[in-house]
Amino acid sequence: MIKKLKIRKQILPFALAGSVTLITLSGCNKTMDCDIDYPHMHKYISEEGFETFKDSEYETDSDMNWTNEITKPNKEQKEMDQFDLLKIEDNRKALEKDTKNDLPHVVYEYKHRYSTPIRVGKITTHAWHTSYKLTTDANHSNLTGYVRDVSFKYRGYKIAKDEEGNLQAFSSGLVDNLFDIEEEYPYFKVSDYKEKIYSKKYEKPKGKVK
């Protein structure tokens, strides 16, 4: 699987473009004070403890927070930053901590009733709807008797050239253990390295599902 950045160009009317610009500037990410005048990268750290170096001066970047620790960038760090990747080797402890509770488990389907108001003339009435949700509580009210198995899968990345000679980030696809593929896929993204996988729902065997 090849991840490519797609840039969509759109022409806006002048007045509309101006209003969009004002909104963007008013809500933009804070830029940190940094007076270093030579090429450098700042260390960014996420709430989970993941860390990497980025060529950025924004307070937050890809849900990671700026620090004043810097390094002179090497080729690998520049390529990682280009594709928003982190190195597995540098984040092993944080990954182990963030995945230690990723255990297979069962979730239970239950029926959820809710209403929405409907205005008919001067009278407001309510229409009732039914949806189905999942819970880990085996004693939740309105259980339907159906369950799903939940497991966790992980995704790594490598950086290589495509058939046209352009540098790209290639995904490993989903695997059971990120560390098992570290040699071939040494990087990951905070945004998508972990996914919950749900089985098709099936009827709960009485007395056997805990």
Side-chain angles (χ1 to χ4, degrees), residues 107-128:
V107 290
Y108 303 83
E109 183 185 74
Y110 68 94
K111 187 183 297 184
H112 174 65
R113 290 269 290 165
Y114 65 98
S115 65
T116 55
I118 298 177
R119 187 76 173 179
V120 181
K122 296 182 179 180
I123 301 175
T124 299
T125 185
H126 289 80
W128 286 92

Side-chain angles (χ1 to χ4, degrees), residues 97-111:
K97 181 178 180 181
D98 197 55
T99 59
K100 68 179 181 180
N101 294 320
D102 292 354
L103 303 175
H105 60 278
V106 172
V107 290
Y108 303 83
E109 183 185 74
Y110 68 94
K111 187 183 297 184

Side-chain angles (χ1 to χ4, degrees), residues 69 111 202:
E69 183 177 342
K111 187 183 297 184
Y202 59 93

Side-chain angles (χ1 to χ4, degrees), residues 7-189:
I7 301 174
R8 180 179 297 171
K9 295 183 179 180
Q10 185 175 6
I11 300 174
L12 298 174
F14 179 77
L16 179 59
S19 63
V20 172
T21 301
L22 289 175
I23 294 172
T24 302
L25 290 176
S26 63
C28 65
N29 195 2
K30 178 181 177 182
T31 302
M32 305 302 290
D33 293 328
C34 179
D35 56 3
I36 300 173
D37 59 2
Y38 58 83
H40 67 282
M41 301 176 80
H42 282 269
K43 177 180 280 190
Y44 278 75
I45 302 177
S46 73
E47 292 183 359
E48 299 87 356
F50 299 134
E51 59 182 54
T52 193
F53 284 92
K54 292 178 173 289
D55 183 14
S56 175
E57 299 294 349
Y58 287 119
E59 183 178 23
T60 60
D61 191 318
S62 300
D63 294 325
M64 303 185 76
N65 301 315
W66 184 95
T67 74
N68 58 12
E69 183 177 342
I70 64 168
T71 187
K72 290 184 177 180
N74 58 36
K75 179 176 179 291
E76 182 183 31
Q77 288 170 328
K78 290 179 180 179
E79 291 177 353
M80 288 168 56
D81 187 39
Q82 178 182 350
F83 297 105
D84 201 23
L85 299 175
L86 284 69
K87 197 166 186 177
I88 294 174
E89 181 181 359
D90 297 339
N91 291 275
R92 181 170 292 273
K93 288 185 178 180
L95 284 166
E96 289 174 346
K97 181 178 180 181
D98 197 55
T99 59
K100 68 179 181 180
N101 294 320
D102 292 354
L103 303 175
H105 60 278
V106 172
V107 290
Y108 303 83
E109 183 185 74
Y110 68 94
K111 187 183 297 184
H112 174 65
R113 290 269 290 165
Y114 65 98
S115 65
T116 55
I118 298 177
R119 187 76 173 179
V120 181
K122 296 182 179 180
I123 301 175
T124 299
T125 185
H126 289 80
W128 286 92
H129 311 275
T130 300
S131 65
Y132 295 89
K133 297 187 176 183
L134 298 172
T135 178
T136 56
D137 182 3
N139 298 309
H140 197 284
S141 61
N142 299 322
L143 293 177
T144 65
Y146 288 97
V147 298
R148 292 177 185 265
D149 297 321
V150 182
S151 60
F152 292 83
K153 300 286 185 179
Y154 308 93
R155 178 184 291 107
Y157 285 90
K158 65 180 178 182
I159 300 172
K161 290 183 179 180
D162 61 18
E163 294 178 354
E164 298 175 353
N166 300 313
L167 208 62
Q168 299 293 343
F170 293 80
S171 168
S172 66
L174 294 174
V175 297
D176 293 328
N177 191 322
L178 196 60
F179 301 123
D180 290 345
I181 61 170
E182 182 179 359
E183 185 173 345
E184 183 178 359
Y185 295 90
Y187 311 110
F188 71 100
K189 290 186 179 183

